[in-house]
Amino acid sequence: MFTRSRRNLSRWFMLSMGSILMVFAVTRYYLTAIERLRYLDQLLYKKAQVVAATVQYKQRDGQRQIDFKNVPFLGESPLPPGSDAVYARWYDPQGRLQQFFGIASPPALLEDVPELQTLTIEAGLLSNRPTLVRQITLPVQYRGELLGYLQVAVPLAPLQSELQQDLLVSLVAILIALTAIVVAAWALSGVAMRPIQESYDHLQKFTADASHELRTPLAAILSNAQVGLLAPMEKGESKHQRLEKITATAKSMTVLISNLLFLARRSGRIADEALQATDLSHVLQELINEPTIRTAAQWVQLSLDFPEQSVTIRADQELLKQAITNLITNACKYTPADGRVNLRLFVQSRQAIVQIEDTGIGIPDADLPYIFERFYRVDRERSREKGGTGLGLAIAQQIIAAHGGTITARSSVGQGSVFQIMLPLQSSM
């Protein structure tokens, strides 16, 4: 139980810390990419300004002419050292292509494009695969007059390479951090569970001591009362009646103590190693032949409805028998003589379903939400007459919940009740 709780605590710690780490890493990578792209845009803008500054404007025969002779990329001027421009283009104020460098067959007309744009160049033009480039379209003016538009593009491959390296470093750092988180989570969960385990050990010791200290005097009282009943006396004498009452009370107290100790000791899910593959049909067949069920059902009609094929679940067989026995004996106890109690088993939606239906006195709607609470009894006087302690349904619910199942009830006063258990089927390997 504590190992499973420690695993769950570690798992939640790892999920929370891992999620925070991943959000931080993704945010950092995104901001880094944005910052580096902004830096690239600044360099591209400065490069375009340098090229535009070399454009010479002349008026010849009343017409405006652009001299590209000394313009890098577009004229005879040598390329700047370390230049990585993919292409450069010059469009006149009407958007017609006048001069270009780089990729052949550029668009003849300038489209309405944003100043900065990321484009994909098809495979074969620059490399054997599509290439991403960053393009700037810069309007060039001289004394308020528009001379034309300059387009310059640079490859994004260096930026992509830097980001990939940064991503690789981040992934390695995340893996190292996650490993440290796993180790820290397991260690811290062990420290956190230590006080709980110590408290549980103290509780186990207390319940064991309480069991011994309470059962020993009860056993002495019960044995002395039973010995007294064996002594010769008239059955109707007051002494005989007092001894019978002492015997009945001692037995009731013994059952109550056993039930309380069961509820105190067994809580939470059952450990996986304690669960075994169990044929529920076979368990129910064995259960209805036990003396406890036969005695409880001697005044009612107990009918069975089981499927022919096996219904396999993973369960602690003895605990499951105890839960179903509590429900069947409860149904028989509150069903009048010659009434019916039906025990059904079927499979629905990957769940094994056990139904115990009776034609008993029923349960009022106001009491239904509380019947699985400890010591809750619908009719206290009637429960005392029947020998009930108010723990049978609470124990049944705790056992079913420990198997990962659920138990529900529906009832109508004067018509009967239906208790339904749903347990997950064994998953096929």
Side-chain angles (χ1 to χ4, degrees):
M1 180 178 68
F2 288 102
T3 301
R4 183 173 63 249
S5 299
R6 186 179 182 184
R7 281 200 301 264
N8 291 335
L9 190 61
S10 301
R11 188 179 298 115
W12 281 109
F13 180 81
M14 287 185 292
L15 284 174
S16 58
M17 294 301 296
S19 299
I20 294 173
L21 182 63
M22 290 301 297
V23 170
F24 172 78
V26 170
T27 303
R28 176 188 170 279
Y29 179 79
Y30 174 77
L31 293 177
T32 300
I34 294 297
E35 183 61 30
R36 292 188 178 179
L37 184 61
R38 183 183 295 114
Y39 179 72
L40 178 66
D41 289 342
Q42 292 175 351
L43 292 180
L44 181 59
Y45 184 76
K46 290 179 180 179
K47 187 175 296 187
Q49 282 185 320
V50 169
V51 174
T54 61
V55 175
Q56 295 181 2
Y57 167 73
K58 296 180 180 180
Q59 286 282 355
R60 183 174 297 175
D61 299 332
Q63 293 183 351
R64 182 176 53 195
Q65 290 185 348
I66 303 297
D67 185 6
F68 296 103
K69 184 176 180 180
N70 297 320
V71 177
F73 306 115
L74 299 176
E76 298 175 0
S77 178
L79 296 178
S83 175
D84 58 350
V86 176
Y87 59 79
R89 301 164 184 168
W90 179 271
Y91 293 89
D92 64 14
Q94 287 73 39
R96 295 186 296 265
L97 181 66
Q98 299 295 312
Q99 194 84 355
F100 68 89
F101 157 82
I103 301 173
S105 303
L109 292 174
L110 179 64
E111 300 176 355
D112 187 11
V113 294
E115 182 181 20
L116 289 165
Q117 188 179 18
T118 300
L119 301 173
T120 302
I121 298 178
E122 297 179 1
L125 296 177
L126 288 178
S127 63
N128 295 328
R129 57 183 180 178
T131 305
L132 286 177
V133 298
R134 189 69 169 170
Q135 172 186 282
I136 185 171
T137 304
L138 185 69
V140 181
Q141 296 180 344
Y142 180 73
R143 294 182 180 179
E145 183 179 1
L146 180 64
L147 300 181
Y149 297 93
L150 175 66
Q151 266 189 358
V152 180
V154 295
L156 288 178
L159 176 61
Q160 289 178 297
S161 178
E162 291 178 7
L163 291 177
Q164 286 175 355
Q165 291 180 358
D166 186 76
L167 180 61
L168 181 61
V169 171
S170 298
L171 289 176
V172 172
I174 288 173
L175 289 176
I176 295 173
L178 286 176
T179 303
I181 288 174
V182 169
V183 174
W186 185 252
L188 291 175
S189 62
V191 174
M193 291 298 297
R194 192 174 299 136
I196 301 174
Q197 187 163 7
E198 291 175 356
S199 300
Y200 182 79
D201 292 339
H202 289 313
L203 177 62
Q204 289 288 84
K205 187 176 184 303
F206 170 77
T207 53
D209 294 342
S211 173
H212 175 74
E213 295 299 328
L214 291 173
R215 284 177 175 175
T216 299
L218 280 174
I221 293 171
L222 182 59
S223 61
N224 281 287
Q226 289 174 335
V227 169
L229 287 173
L230 294 175
M233 68 178 73
E234 293 295 330
K235 196 168 185 180
E237 289 184 7
S238 60
K239 181 180 178 181
H240 187 277
Q241 292 176 350
R242 285 196 296 270
L243 288 173
E244 285 183 337
K245 191 170 184 179
I246 291 172
T247 302
T249 303
K251 287 181 178 179
S252 177
M253 287 293 295
T254 302
V255 172
L256 177 61
I257 291 170
S258 298
N259 289 340
L260 286 173
L261 289 173
F262 177 89
L263 290 171
R265 288 174 174 174
R266 294 190 176 272
S267 59
R269 292 289 297 270
I270 299 175
D272 292 338
E273 53 270 18
L275 301 178
Q276 296 180 350
T278 303
D279 183 358
L280 196 51
S281 300
H282 180 69
V283 170
L284 295 180
Q285 289 285 359
E286 286 185 347
L287 189 63
I288 59 175
N289 292 320
E290 291 188 355
T292 305
I293 300 297
R294 286 185 171 277
T295 302
Q298 60 182 333
W299 306 113
V300 299
Q301 301 174 22
L302 181 60
S303 62
L304 313 173
D305 183 10
F306 299 160
E308 295 181 359
Q309 68 274 17
S310 62
V311 178
T312 306
I313 62 173
R314 288 186 58 79
D316 183 318
Q317 187 169 320
E318 294 305 317
L319 287 179
L320 194 58
K321 279 185 177 181
Q322 182 177 349
I324 299 175
T325 297
N326 286 357
L327 295 178
I328 295 176
T329 54
N330 215 49
C332 295
K333 187 185 299 183
Y334 294 101
T335 298
D338 297 327
R340 294 190 311 276
V341 175
N342 301 322
L343 179 61
R344 285 191 292 270
L345 171 65
F346 57 94
V347 175
Q348 180 179 329
S349 302
R350 298 293 303 165
Q351 298 278 324
I353 299 178
V354 180
Q355 284 185 348
I356 298 97
E357 182 178 4
D358 63 64
T359 58
I361 60 176
I363 304 170
D365 292 340
D367 293 306
L368 268 178
Y370 312 105
I371 59 174
F372 293 105
E373 294 182 1
R374 300 177 184 183
F375 297 109
Y376 188 85
R377 288 178 286 193
V378 176
D379 188 337
R380 296 185 179 274
E381 293 301 324
R382 191 159 191 164
S383 295
R384 290 194 186 97
E385 293 174 6
K386 298 287 186 179
T389 61
L391 292 175
L393 292 179
I395 290 174
Q397 185 190 46
Q398 186 162 311
I399 292 173
I400 298 303
H403 285 80
T406 58
I407 179 171
T408 57
R410 63 179 188 272
S411 183
S412 298
V413 176
Q415 297 182 12
S417 307
V418 179
F419 284 82
Q420 178 171 288
I421 297 172
M422 298 181 66
L423 294 166
L425 293 174
Q426 181 182 23
S427 57
S428 56
M429 300 301 291

